[in-house]
Amino acid sequence: SLETWPTKNEEAYRAALRGRQVMSASGTDPAVLRAGIAELEQAVALDSTYAWAWAGLTIASSNLYLNGNRDPRVAARAKQALDYAVALRPNAVRTRRARSTYLLNVAGDEQAASAEIDLALRESPNDASLLSSSGSQDMNRGDLGSALTKFERVRELGRAAAVLAPRPALRHRAA
């Protein structure tokens, strides 16, 4: 039912999922980021209260700013999207992830970015994406022990997911 979705607007939800899918293939390529951003822009145009999509737009725009041409308009849009996400769901894990990405990629504040990821990890300690981001930030700061611990946890979570994943039924072939 739509009541359990992050938006009640099915088209906004589909647009956000398309944006996520587009970017999951190659999330750092500027052309791919622009395509994902277009879908996320459609999602927030259809539902301006869709915090998950605003956070996604922040992340994608921040990544485009870092991996694109450092266009100040992209930075401004990332900040605007972050402001909407924070206004709607200030303490949500995805909002914290978006704030961390913005702080790291646009504002250049590694310390504040790490603090946001740490807050998100307190809420969602088994989120492989958060652990990976935090581990990368630890590596950049030279804290290799902490980074290794987080990357090992990501690997453990991946193995657990593979074990728990549904397996296709075996089909018996008649001889």
Side-chain angles (χ1 to χ4, degrees):
S1 111
L2 286 176
E3 283 120 33
T4 61
W5 290 13
T7 176
K8 293 192 182 350
N9 185 311
E10 186 176 346
E11 287 306 311
Y13 184 73
R14 289 174 195 249
L17 288 180
R18 285 191 305 269
R20 183 177 182 176
Q21 182 180 19
V22 165
M23 290 182 296
S24 69
S26 176
T28 60
D29 177 75
V32 172
L33 286 167
R34 284 185 190 92
I37 287 169
E39 294 291 348
L40 290 163
E41 289 283 6
Q42 181 182 3
V44 298
L46 291 166
D47 182 355
S48 63
T49 66
Y50 192 1
W52 190 93
W54 282 114
L57 184 56
T58 302
I59 293 166
S61 297
S62 296
N63 287 337
L64 178 61
Y65 179 80
L66 181 69
N67 296 309
N69 60 6
R70 306 230 178 208
D71 183 339
R73 292 171 300 180
V74 174
R77 185 58 173 155
K79 178 67 168 102
Q80 182 184 40
L82 176 60
D83 290 345
Y84 277 106
V86 168
L88 292 164
R89 301 217 36 222
N91 297 315
V93 169
R94 186 156 170 89
T95 300
R96 291 198 183 281
R97 170 66 185 264
R99 188 181 293 127
S100 175
T101 303
Y102 175 83
L103 288 167
L104 186 65
N105 294 354
V106 180
D109 189 341
E110 292 179 31
Q111 186 175 359
S114 289
E116 282 298 325
I117 285 290
D118 289 345
L119 288 170
L121 278 170
R122 286 187 197 142
E123 293 294 318
S124 189
N126 294 321
D127 184 315
S129 177
L130 290 173
L131 284 163
S132 182
S133 292
S134 182
S136 294
Q137 289 178 9
D138 291 346
M139 268 183 36
N140 291 339
R141 282 193 320 273
D143 189 351
L144 301 181
S146 179
L148 181 59
T149 299
K150 290 172 183 169
F151 292 142
E152 286 174 346
R153 182 69 182 133
V154 169
R155 188 179 67 204
E156 290 169 11
L157 290 168
R159 276 197 300 251
V163 168
L164 297 174
R167 301 193 191 294
L170 294 176
R171 297 182 192 262
H172 296 287
R173 293 174 44 180

